[in-house]
Amino acid sequence: MIVPLVEAVSDTCGGKAGALGALLRAGLPVPDGFVVSYAAYLAAVGDLDLGESDGPDAMRPAIEARPVDASVIDALGRALDGLGDPPVAVRSSASNEDTGRASAAGQHESFLAVRGVGGVADAVRACWASLFSPRAIDYRRDDRPDDRREDRPPGDLAMAVIVQRQLDAEVSGVMFTPADPYGATEIEASWGLGPSIVGGTVTPDAYRVARDGTVTRTIADKRTRLDRHGTRLVVRDVPAPARDRAAIDDATATRLAELGEEIAAVLGGPQDIEWAIADGRTWILQARPVTAAPPPPPSPADAPAGALTGTPGSRGTVTGTARIVRGPGDFARVHPGDILVCPFTDPAWTPLLRIAAGVVTETGGVLSHAAIVARELGIPAVLGVPDATDRLHDDTVITIDGTTGAVTTADA
């Protein structure tokens, strides 16, 4: 039931773990670890007596209430001892995750800074249960415009779990490798651990590395960073001098692009890659197929006079009623066809993205989970519009252009 990460394959360990296993076998820099395979999950849930009428909504509490089997805990302990029992990252690797059809970006649980067999066992169980969280169930609903997702019954789903040595990154980021021979590699980078970038809570630096090696960059005001403190994750303010300093230099961006090309060659297509730099070394944390490419960088001339501007996150133009959403307490106020205006979006907001006509955020980059899900859902998104929740107002009519990054009001 426990598989060394270097031996992981998608059929038994999920697409996320399978990709990392392939990269390790190719000699690429992936943190060491192991996988709790599908077999452990299937053994844990196989005797749950849930009828058709219960549906997947009943699965999550049933799994959460079930103790992890002693044999699995024993195997986890031995595997952790083999790593030296360090702090670890515990992440989902589901059967419908990180595939060429759907990313499921941010829809299942991940845990950083986990220490000890008891904590890892609890995190594994939480990953299993997250297969049936409301956001994961909603993501699997088969009513997307491009029909990539499919609605699967509980028996067709399985969850493996990756356990890897925790990296205390100085800089983290995401990159998309190009889809054609003439395209550029898109890279985003910021200080600290990666969840602040993929979660959209910081607007990262953006780099574009052309095939001829030319690097263009936009340096953001990176106000916060996420770091590990013991077994806790802490958000800290970035010192003022570092906020608008480039997180990586052009030479590092070029090396990342070259590494991205190696990864794409190993995995057989354009890749969405999470990376980190710790102790001066670059590591690959995840690689999955690009399911929905981001819009190209806009020209400043594209924005109409008087428009608010941000980063184009998902193509298309839509006009609708602005709805200011600062947290879950505002969810009930959102109506179908509204345009969400929010500080950032959490993966738990996926059901809102399904009914919204578009989304505007104050922070976040084009490679964040929210932007990826917006592109998969086919709704326009504009990201990183400073003070959008104060500059735009409830019930006003706005137009957002997810291709140019412009947001305009009816009276502009």
Side-chain angles (χ1 to χ4, degrees), residues 71-346:
S71 64
V72 175
I73 292 177
D74 183 60
L76 284 173
R78 292 195 302 272
L80 288 169
D81 286 343
L83 293 178
D85 198 22
V88 292
V90 182
R91 298 186 296 145
S92 65
S93 183
S95 56
N96 68 325
E97 184 176 13
D98 288 9
T99 72
R101 291 168 58 85
S103 68
Q107 301 309 305
H108 305 119
E109 294 291 357
S110 293
F111 302 91
L112 302 183
V114 183
R115 191 70 184 265
V117 65
V120 171
D122 288 344
V124 166
R125 181 175 54 201
C127 286
W128 289 344
S130 73
L131 192 60
F132 300 102
S133 67
R135 69 180 186 242
I137 294 167
D138 190 86
Y139 181 85
R140 292 194 293 268
R141 282 172 44 200
D142 188 17
D143 58 1
R144 283 183 38 192
D146 59 5
D147 197 29
R148 287 186 190 173
R149 240 183 282 156
E150 55 189 311
D151 197 10
R152 298 185 180 191
D156 289 345
L157 294 166
M159 175 68 78
V161 181
I162 303 167
V163 180
Q164 284 177 284
R165 190 182 302 276
Q166 170 80 48
L167 294 181
D168 292 328
E170 292 98 30
V171 179
S172 298
V174 183
M175 65 175 157
F176 273 31
T177 64
D180 64 74
Y182 305 102
T185 299
E186 307 287 348
I187 302 172
E188 294 183 340
S190 192
W191 308 118
L193 300 177
S196 60
I197 298 173
V198 297
T201 58
V202 67
T203 300
D205 297 342
Y207 302 78
R208 185 176 175 86
V209 184
R211 288 291 188 178
D212 65 1
T214 302
V215 178
T216 56
R217 57 181 178 169
T218 301
I219 305 305
D221 180 19
K222 303 172 291 296
R223 299 188 177 189
T224 63
R225 59 180 291 161
L226 184 71
D227 293 289
R228 181 179 71 89
H229 183 74
T231 56
R232 296 186 301 116
L233 298 180
V234 295
V235 178
R236 298 187 295 159
D237 290 335
V238 173
R243 290 181 179 180
D244 57 0
R245 190 172 73 230
I248 58 174
D249 58 23
D250 290 357
T252 301
T254 300
R255 288 195 298 270
L256 281 167
E258 292 169 350
L259 182 57
E261 289 191 3
E262 290 185 64
I263 293 167
V266 170
L267 298 179
Q271 296 293 304
D272 167 359
I273 300 163
E274 294 181 22
W275 55 269
I277 298 175
D279 297 323
R281 184 177 180 186
T282 300
W283 297 89
I284 300 305
L285 307 182
Q286 182 172 323
R288 61 183 170 212
V290 173
T291 56
S299 164
D302 291 338
L308 306 182
T309 58
T311 302
S314 180
R315 292 174 176 85
T317 302
V318 67
T319 298
T321 301
R323 189 66 57 205
I324 309 300
V325 179
R326 292 188 170 89
D330 294 323
F331 285 8
R333 299 172 50 248
V334 179
H335 305 291
D338 284 351
I339 296 175
L340 302 183
V341 181
C342 47
F344 61 91
T345 64
D346 183 271

